[in-house]
Amino acid sequence: MKQIRILSWLALAAGFAAFIVMNAETARVNFWPFGAGYLHFDWPVGFTALVFFLAGFLPPWLAGRLRRWRLKRRIANLESSLASQAGAYAPPPAAPDAAQPEYRP
């Protein structure tokens, strides 16, 4: 399963690298006006696509990683509190009852 994941990431990276190489022309990127004029960048199309893909991908990915970290920490705290309570309230082991005879059909 790990090999399939690695191969899929490699194929995705190779496809994106090919996209960047094929689209090497520059394109003007105009951002919202700051002060008197616009903020202009003349970037290659592939680099522009990479920058804006990462700008849209990273915040939700980081939010998901943070949520997963918080839940794992909460589960660990709950498990440790459960383990400490289970040791305090453990019933004593039951001794076999010698007064009752063994039943055999």
Side-chain angles (χ1 to χ4, degrees):
M1 188 63 155
K2 192 173 184 179
Q3 292 87 5
I4 294 172
R5 186 172 12 149
I6 291 171
L7 288 174
S8 63
W9 277 111
L10 285 174
L12 184 67
F16 199 73
F19 174 77
I20 289 174
V21 169
M22 286 186 236
N23 295 298
E25 307 89 33
T26 59
R28 178 165 282 215
V29 179
N30 297 324
F31 287 100
W32 191 65
F34 292 106
Y38 285 95
L39 183 60
H40 301 287
F41 290 107
D42 288 325
W43 290 341
V45 175
F47 182 72
T48 305
L50 176 65
V51 167
F52 287 106
F53 171 77
L54 290 177
F57 175 77
L58 286 179
W61 181 77
L62 288 173
R65 295 290 291 186
L66 180 63
R67 185 179 306 119
R68 189 177 302 144
W69 175 74
R70 284 182 185 165
L71 288 174
K72 283 183 181 181
R73 192 175 66 171
R74 186 173 179 191
I75 289 171
N77 287 339
L78 289 172
E79 286 176 346
S80 66
S81 68
L82 183 63
S84 66
Q85 289 176 0
Y89 298 113
D97 193 11
Q100 291 183 356
E102 186 177 323
Y103 176 73
R104 293 189 177 182

